Amino acid sequence: MQEPHLRQDRIPQHVAIIMDGNGRWAESRGLDRNDGHREGLESVRSVVRGAREIGIQTLTLYAFSMENWNRPKAEVTALMGLLDHYLEVEIDEVMENGIRVRAIGRLDRLPPGTRSAVEGAIEKTRDNRSMDLVFALSYGGRTEIVDAARRLLRDAELGEVDPEGLDEKTFASYLYAPDVRDPDLLIRTGAESRVSNFLLWQIAYTEICTTDLMWPDFRKPHLVNAILDFQTRERRYGLTSAQVGGRRGGLGSDS
């Protein structure tokens, strides 16, 4: 299904979302924070379906950060359980819609059951091609850069990388998912205006859209509105308006 009011030639190929505000949404209603996380799953369902219908190629969701490990143990356990539940309940629809599940982050820190569920979804959907759904789990942008640097240094010690020839493209090849293009659009819910250690390398030229909506209130129509705003923007990548031909919202290349 196409959105007639969206310009199809300017659909962002990669949208990343910081899904913030679950706990505050619940607390403002006198509910337990975990009730907010459960309602947030409904937003995930709506946005994943909507992204595929719109024609987005990659959707990356900031599901659990490295810093989130510092939350109360009961909340962390509940979050892991919700992830398990989502993957179990939604996997059939994900398969029907040709969505490929991927994950980035220090997955080795996930509880065994959750890690098994994630790996199972990745394996089951590996041949799907309509859209990539990337979960950032146990993820931190600085951690990703450190992990990339560590692997690169090991290869340099083995003589497989020449430090003098190191460039951005080579470094980026050591990131968690080097084949995924940088996000065109980053959406943050929850009335905050920070990137919270998310995709720090990849968002160098990403357009950012923030909203006061808490994540449990965010649905497909709000995704459409964010894309409409994206389509009004001129992406210059350091050039002038004249150089890019005055194209409003053109996607262009990140190179």
Side-chain angles (χ1 to χ4, degrees):
M1 183 177 68
Q2 300 294 323
E3 296 291 333
H5 51 297
L6 289 174
R7 286 195 55 173
Q8 293 304 307
D9 61 331
R10 292 184 179 176
I11 298 296
Q13 295 183 43
H14 182 182
V15 174
I17 304 180
I18 300 174
M19 306 180 293
D20 191 26
N22 289 343
R24 284 175 288 152
W25 180 91
E27 290 168 351
S28 70
R29 290 161 172 77
L31 303 172
D32 185 81
R33 288 178 58 86
N34 291 331
D35 292 325
H37 295 312
R38 279 189 285 272
E39 186 62 28
L41 276 186
E42 296 302 319
S43 294
V44 171
R45 292 187 179 99
S46 176
V47 169
V48 170
R49 292 168 183 165
R52 181 188 175 279
E53 291 167 354
I54 290 167
I56 292 167
Q57 295 182 2
T58 303
L59 177 68
T60 299
L61 302 178
Y62 202 5
F64 193 88
S65 72
M66 288 292 292
E67 292 77 15
N68 287 157
W69 288 117
N70 297 318
R71 291 190 175 187
K73 185 177 180 180
E75 183 171 348
V76 171
T77 299
L79 285 167
M80 293 296 114
L82 286 172
L83 177 60
D84 295 348
H85 176 75
Y86 176 83
L87 292 173
E88 178 183 356
V89 171
E90 298 296 316
I91 193 65
D92 288 341
E93 181 175 336
V94 165
M95 286 298 297
E96 289 172 6
N97 289 322
I99 297 172
R100 178 168 60 168
V101 175
R102 304 181 66 175
I104 56 174
R106 288 188 173 177
L107 306 182
D108 58 307
R109 290 197 60 179
L110 297 175
T114 300
R115 184 174 180 181
S116 177
V118 171
E119 291 175 346
I122 291 172
E123 177 61 27
K124 187 170 185 177
T125 64
R126 63 184 303 174
D127 295 325
N128 293 345
R129 291 294 182 267
S130 69
M131 185 181 82
D132 277 0
L133 173 59
V134 184
F135 289 103
L137 297 165
S138 189
Y139 175 87
R142 288 182 174 180
T143 301
E144 178 177 22
I145 292 170
V146 168
D147 286 349
R150 184 180 294 115
R151 290 192 294 272
L152 191 152
L153 287 170
R154 288 171 181 163
D155 283 353
E157 290 175 354
L158 295 171
E160 297 177 3
V161 175
D162 178 8
E164 295 302 319
L166 180 62
D167 56 17
E168 291 182 10
K169 183 177 180 180
T170 300
F171 186 86
S173 71
Y174 284 85
L175 297 174
Y176 292 145
D179 60 311
V180 175
R181 63 172 282 139
D182 293 344
D184 299 298
L185 173 64
L186 170 64
I187 301 170
R188 180 175 185 134
T189 64
E192 302 287 1
S193 300
R194 55 180 177 269
V195 296
S196 293
N197 199 21
F198 186 43
L199 301 177
L200 297 181
W201 176 276
Q202 296 90 335
I203 62 172
Y205 281 100
T206 296
E207 297 295 324
I208 299 176
C209 176
T210 62
T211 174
D212 289 342
L213 283 173
M214 300 295 140
W215 177 247
D217 290 326
F218 195 91
R219 295 291 194 271
K220 179 188 174 183
H222 305 110
L223 174 64
V224 171
N225 288 338
I227 295 173
L228 285 169
D229 177 67
F230 169 84
Q231 292 185 341
T232 69
R233 303 186 188 185
E234 181 181 74
R235 307 187 72 196
R236 296 191 298 274
Y237 302 98
L239 303 178
T240 67
S241 294
Q243 285 177 301
V244 298
R247 291 181 297 112
R248 305 299 295 177
L251 299 182
S253 169
D254 289 348
S255 59

